[in-house]
């Protein structure tokens, strides 16, 4: 029995959202000021039902992602679990899905963080719980769709679809300036998306000119011979859309507003998954589709990434608001991811993908715990806290673990990604590493300084003396985050092994080797898709984490 796992991955959360939509609400909620976030329990008699249904559906999706991982062949660079059905044949548009080692891990990350995001909203969201849960599940379906699409038209449908639920999550359940932040998020992202759509249509037209048929098939488009000048324009259109989503300096200004105004669950998903779609787009589309232009523009993009690393760290250092501090830290940390991609060697790209996962865990965890403090004290100002270690020791311990993971402490997840990125970037151009190294130092400064001011010292405000420690429900979300931070730091090969063949194939593609192929392709077999072995790129260094063989 061939289970259509990839279809189930996006259809199950969408079906869960539709199911919730069909469940009638118990009646109108009493009016209240939106800025009142003092909601500790359900306001409506069916709110618990809506929350539990949403959590169960998200856990089912996470289980499906683990099934996908268990059945994945880690030794293969080819796309697996391929599903293909003609959709709009007149324009060469197919319902075409597949995963490789890069997209696999991002799908698992999405499945992992969505239940955590729903748990983080349990106490903070007491208004329109049914609609909130529907939007979270719809957002999960769209995010997974982005990672599994191998047809550019289908990819664009999912790419734009995910904007709608995030817009409403920020605009309805956000804080005081939520409308401004939601509109800014939508305008920035849509501006880049329109340019990318023009480039997608241009690629389909070029395929028609070359073969007589339109096609949005990503792997066919990899084979197009595109003139260097055309590559430049198309690459810039794709790269701009993805740079806004990352966000890369200087296109980052929408992010702090969106993070600060979003509810906790929105911040967890935004930092944990949505921002990774920008870096994923660079890896999957911009660089391999236009390799000549990518090589030409890589030093400039890397320069912007390094500026973002240092700028984000310096601005984070002076933030009085915990949530805004963590938001600017994302600008800095994702600059490392872009730097690894621009290096375009196995170490750099593998480190970039690893850092996407690590950042999702650590920054998602930080937003979760900042939201917990905000729910308790109704303020995120660092100056309003102090001495919480004596009041909430368990929360302090979890916060320190995630903080150390965020700044790249050896033994935790952030170290592996940054190490591989800097190793790959050093082999490409050591000057970038020297500059980016300052960002590593600054990240330790602003994160540890925040921990010192919030959790250490004496309790100077009476309100802090009675802050509750972590509840069992909150532990259900925090414990997996802390465990993953430790697991990724101690057993990195569990995550690097599935991605390595796909990363090597990507590097070969950009370096001029033959394009990616699909294994076990049934439809369009006459196109001549054949399996190619992924050879090692010259000079790449493998992370020696395998057990040593006993001496004879």
């Amino acid at each position: 029995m061939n289970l259509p796992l990839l279809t189930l991955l996006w259809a199950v959360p969408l079906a869960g959202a539709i199911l919730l939509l069909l469940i009638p609400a118990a009646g109108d909620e009493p009016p209240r000021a939106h800025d009142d976030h003092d909601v500790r329990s359900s306001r409506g008699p069916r709110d618990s039902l809506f929350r539990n249904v949403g959590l169960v559906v998200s856990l089912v999706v996470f289980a499906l992602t683990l099934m996908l991982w268990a059945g994945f062949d880690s030794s293969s660079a080819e796309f697996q679990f391929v599903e293909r059905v003609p959709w709009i044949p007149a324009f060469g548009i197919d319902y075409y899905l597949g995963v490789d080692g890069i997209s696999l891990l991002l799908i698992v990350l999405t499945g992992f963080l969505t239940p955590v995001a729903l748990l983080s909203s349990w106490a903070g969201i007491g208004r329109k719980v049914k609609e909130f849960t529907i939007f979270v599940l719809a957002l999960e379906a769209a995010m997974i769709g982005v990672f599994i699409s191998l047809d550019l038209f289908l990819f664009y449908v999912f790419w734009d679809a995910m904007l709608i639920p995030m817009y409403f999550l920020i605009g309805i359940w956000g804080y005081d300036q939520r409308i401004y932040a939601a509109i800014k998020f939508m305008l920035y992202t849509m501006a880049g998306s329109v340019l990318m759509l023009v480039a997608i249509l241009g690629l389909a037209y070029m395929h028609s000119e070359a073969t007589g048929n339109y096609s949005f098939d990503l792997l066919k488009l990899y084979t197009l011979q595109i003139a260097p000048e055309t590559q430049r324009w198309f690459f810039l259109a794709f790269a701009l859309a993805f740079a806004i989503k990352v966000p890369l300096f200087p296109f980052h200004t929408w992010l702090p507003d969106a993070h600060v105004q979003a509810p906790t669950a929105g911040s967890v998903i935004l930092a944990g998954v949505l921002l990774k779609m920008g870096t994923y787009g660079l890896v999957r589309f911009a660089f391999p589709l236009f390799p000549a232009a990518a090589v030409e523009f890589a030093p400039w993009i890397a320069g912007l990434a390094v500026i973002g690393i240092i700028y984000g760290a310096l601005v984070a250092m002076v933030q009085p608001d915990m949530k805004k501090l963590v938001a600017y830290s994302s600008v800095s940390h994702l600059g490392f991811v872009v730097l690894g991609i621009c290096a375009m060697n196995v170490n750099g790209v593998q480190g970039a993908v690893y850092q996407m996962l690590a950042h999702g865990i650590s920054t998602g965890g930080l937003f979760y715990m900042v939201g917990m403090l905000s729910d308790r004290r109704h303020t995120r100002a660092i100056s309003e806290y102090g001495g919480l270690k004596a009041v909430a020791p368990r929360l302090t311990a979890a916060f320190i673990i995630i903080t150390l993971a965020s700044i790249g402490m050896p033994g935790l997840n952030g170290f592996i990604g940054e190490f591989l990125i800097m190793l790959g970037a050093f082999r490409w151009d050591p000057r970038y590493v020297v500059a980016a190294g300052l960002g590593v130092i600054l990240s330790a400064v602003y994160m540890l300084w925040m921990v010192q001011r919030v959790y250490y010292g004496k309790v100077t405000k009476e309100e802090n003396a009675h802050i509750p420690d972590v509840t069992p429900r909150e532990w259900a979300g925090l414990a997996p985050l802390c465990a993953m931070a430790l697991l990724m730091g101690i057993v990195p090969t569990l995550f690097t092994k599935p991605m390595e063949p796909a990363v090597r194939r990507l590097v070969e593609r950009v370096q001029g080797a033959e394009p990616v192929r699909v294994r076990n392709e049934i439809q369009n077999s006459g196109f001549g898709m054949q399996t190619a072995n992924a050879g090692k790129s010259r000079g790449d260094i493998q992370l020696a984490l395998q057990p040593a063989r006993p001496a004879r």
Side-chain angles (χ1 to χ4, degrees):
M1 177 182 177
N2 293 324
L3 193 66
L5 268 179
L6 299 188
T7 296
L8 288 174
L9 282 172
W10 69 264
V12 168
L14 187 60
I18 295 172
L19 173 64
L20 285 171
L21 191 64
L22 297 176
I23 299 176
D28 295 332
E29 296 176 351
R32 68 180 184 87
H34 182 80
D35 294 334
D36 175 21
H37 288 278
D38 188 16
V39 183
R40 291 294 168 193
S41 59
S42 298
R43 304 281 284 196
R46 292 192 176 178
D47 284 355
S48 293
L49 172 64
F50 299 143
R51 289 189 175 106
N52 288 324
V53 169
L55 182 60
V56 168
V57 171
S58 66
L59 289 173
V60 169
V61 175
F62 180 49
L64 290 173
T65 66
L66 296 180
M67 288 177 59
L68 187 75
W69 193 354
F72 187 82
D73 181 3
S74 298
S75 64
S76 173
E78 280 70 5
F79 287 95
Q80 301 175 39
F81 301 95
V82 173
E83 300 175 32
R84 188 167 197 167
V85 177
W87 186 13
I88 311 176
F91 294 99
I93 298 173
D94 294 336
Y95 174 76
Y96 188 17
L97 310 178
V99 294
D100 64 357
I102 296 172
S103 53
L104 168 73
L105 295 173
L106 293 170
I107 292 167
V108 175
L109 176 68
T110 306
F112 176 81
L113 285 179
T114 304
V116 172
L118 287 170
L119 285 170
S120 73
S121 68
W122 221 269
I125 301 297
R127 173 176 178 270
K128 297 185 181 295
V129 173
K130 170 184 171 180
E131 291 83 354
F132 175 85
T133 310
I134 288 172
F135 281 126
V136 171
L137 293 178
L139 179 59
E140 181 180 27
M143 292 187 299
I144 291 176
V146 167
F147 293 132
I148 61 179
S149 297
L150 294 181
D151 182 279
L152 281 180
F153 184 86
L154 181 63
F155 162 77
Y156 189 80
V157 169
F158 282 121
W159 176 270
D160 270 2
M162 71 183 175
L163 302 180
I164 299 170
M166 180 53 73
Y167 171 81
F168 284 109
L169 286 173
I170 297 172
I172 296 176
W173 292 276
Y175 291 86
D176 298 343
Q177 301 296 319
R178 57 191 179 276
I179 302 299
Y180 167 77
I183 293 175
K184 192 174 182 180
F185 162 76
M186 181 66 78
L187 290 177
Y188 266 72
T189 311
M190 284 297 298
S193 297
V194 170
L195 291 176
M196 181 172 65
L197 176 61
V198 173
I200 290 172
L201 295 175
L203 285 171
Y205 174 77
M206 291 182 65
H207 189 277
S208 173
E209 289 293 300
T211 66
N213 297 304
Y214 289 105
S215 179
F216 292 83
D217 182 335
L218 176 63
L219 305 186
K220 289 183 181 180
L221 297 177
Y222 278 160
T223 66
L224 280 178
Q225 299 297 318
I226 306 175
E229 186 65 25
T230 306
Q231 280 202 38
R232 292 189 190 99
W233 288 109
F234 282 10
F235 177 83
L236 288 174
F238 273 84
L240 179 62
F242 299 139
I244 291 172
K245 181 67 78 175
V246 170
L248 185 66
F249 178 91
F251 309 107
H252 66 283
T253 56
W254 65 269
L255 180 67
D257 292 320
H259 267 315
V260 169
Q261 299 303 324
T264 300
S267 293
V268 170
I269 294 177
L270 181 60
V273 183
L274 253 69
L275 304 186
K276 312 306 178 297
M277 293 182 179
T279 49
Y280 172 78
L282 292 173
V283 169
R284 176 66 74 226
F285 302 101
F287 274 70
L289 279 171
F290 318 107
V295 171
E296 179 181 349
F297 286 108
W300 298 96
I301 297 174
L304 293 177
V306 171
I307 293 173
I309 290 170
I310 298 172
Y311 168 83
L314 289 174
V315 176
M317 196 179 301
V318 298
Q319 293 304 314
D321 184 303
M322 282 188 286
K323 207 172 186 185
K324 208 162 192 177
L325 185 152
V326 178
Y328 275 105
S329 77
S330 288
V331 176
S332 182
H333 288 149
L334 286 166
F336 279 100
V337 176
V338 175
L339 177 60
I341 294 170
C342 291
M344 199 40 67
N345 52 48
V346 172
N347 299 136
V349 177
Q350 199 170 23
V353 177
Y354 203 95
Q355 191 66 5
M356 292 184 213
L357 307 175
H359 178 267
I361 298 298
S362 58
T363 306
L366 288 172
F367 277 119
Y368 189 170
M369 287 181 280
V370 169
M372 290 166 56
L373 289 175
S374 178
D375 289 340
R376 286 159 164 77
R377 280 288 324 275
H378 315 299
T379 178
R380 300 183 304 270
I382 296 174
S383 60
E384 290 295 314
Y385 293 91
L388 295 190
K389 181 174 72 72
V391 180
R394 296 179 182 85
L395 177 59
T396 305
F399 201 98
I400 290 175
I401 290 172
I402 299 298
T403 297
L404 293 177
S406 178
I407 65 178
M409 173 70 71
L412 295 171
N413 58 357
F415 174 75
I416 304 298
E418 287 186 358
F419 172 79
L420 287 172
I421 288 169
M422 297 182 78
L423 182 62
F426 191 87
R427 292 182 47 252
W428 177 50
D429 192 331
R431 293 173 295 179
Y432 294 111
V433 178
V434 173
L438 178 61
V440 177
I441 299 171
L442 292 176
S443 69
V445 172
Y446 64 73
M447 290 302 298
L448 295 178
W449 190 28
M450 177 182 68
V451 170
Q452 180 190 19
R453 288 178 288 171
V454 172
Y455 291 96
Y456 287 86
K458 296 180 180 180
V459 178
T460 56
K461 296 186 180 296
E462 182 63 26
E463 299 91 336
N464 295 331
H466 307 290
I467 285 182
D469 208 344
V470 182
T471 65
R473 176 191 51 76
E474 290 168 335
W475 265 126
L478 278 182
L481 291 168
C482 295
M484 284 301 300
L486 289 167
L487 180 66
M488 291 182 68
I490 296 171
V491 194
T493 49
L494 182 65
F495 304 89
T496 57
K497 185 179 178 181
M499 75 173 80
E500 184 173 356
V503 168
R504 290 190 181 279
R505 186 67 61 82
L506 166 68
V507 171
E508 289 177 358
R509 165 65 186 164
V510 177
Q511 290 178 351
E514 59 186 73
V516 179
R517 307 296 188 188
V518 172
R519 188 185 62 175
N520 299 331
E521 177 71 3
I522 299 174
Q523 294 83 358
N524 291 331
S525 57
F527 188 68
M529 292 190 174
Q530 299 173 353
T531 301
N533 292 326
K536 293 182 179 179
S537 300
R538 290 191 302 168
D540 283 317
I541 304 169
Q542 287 186 300
L543 190 60
L545 295 172
Q546 303 293 339
R549 294 182 179 179
R552 293 185 179 274

